[in-house]
Amino acid sequence: MKQQAIRIHDRYDELNRRERGRVRTRTEFVLGFMGDVGGLATLVIAEEGAREHPGGRPALEHELADCLWSVLIPTHRYNVDLERVFHRTMTELDKRIDTRLSQGDTPGT
């Protein structure tokens, strides 16, 4: 997935150079990601039946793919080993959850 994402990113750079004379900065790219997340939130709300949205399930799937692309590209541009840091972060979260669960405290006791 990452290689395909990078290929599409490089093609967008080529297109933006041709049409605008420059490529999007990393900051502009992340701001675009924020817009994608907003679009995803709208589609999730629609999927849950709380509002109408044209496009239905295919639009939700498309936006999820856009969001994934928008995560893969900054990992490339900032030279982050996403697989390594994902596993490290999930291990840290797992330990925190284990600690809290082992405390045996339940709300209201």
Side-chain angles (χ1 to χ4, degrees):
M1 284 190 299
K2 184 176 179 180
Q3 292 308 313
Q4 188 174 15
I6 291 168
R7 186 179 73 76
I8 295 299
H9 171 266
D10 291 347
R11 298 202 68 213
Y12 268 124
D13 276 357
E14 180 183 343
L15 182 63
N16 284 322
R17 273 189 203 94
R18 180 182 298 168
E19 292 180 348
R20 296 180 182 89
R22 69 179 191 89
V23 298
R24 289 169 55 183
T25 66
R26 293 185 296 191
T27 300
E28 289 170 327
F29 193 85
V30 172
L31 289 172
F33 175 47
M34 292 173 62
D36 288 342
V37 170
L40 176 60
T42 298
L43 292 167
V44 165
I45 292 167
E47 183 73 10
E48 294 298 316
R51 69 182 298 174
E52 293 293 319
H53 193 279
R57 182 73 179 209
L60 174 65
E61 292 170 354
H62 176 90
E63 202 62 43
L64 283 166
D66 277 351
C67 286
L68 178 58
W69 182 74
S70 293
V71 168
L72 292 172
I73 295 306
T75 66
H76 169 67
R77 290 182 108 184
Y78 286 100
N79 197 30
V80 171
D81 181 345
L82 184 60
E83 185 173 357
R84 182 182 58 78
V85 297
F86 178 82
H87 288 296
R88 182 184 69 206
T89 301
M90 293 303 107
T91 299
E92 291 168 1
L93 291 174
D94 199 30
K95 287 177 183 177
R96 286 184 203 161
I97 293 167
D98 279 348
T99 298
R100 290 177 66 187
L101 287 172
S102 68
Q103 292 172 349
D105 294 335
T106 56
T109 60

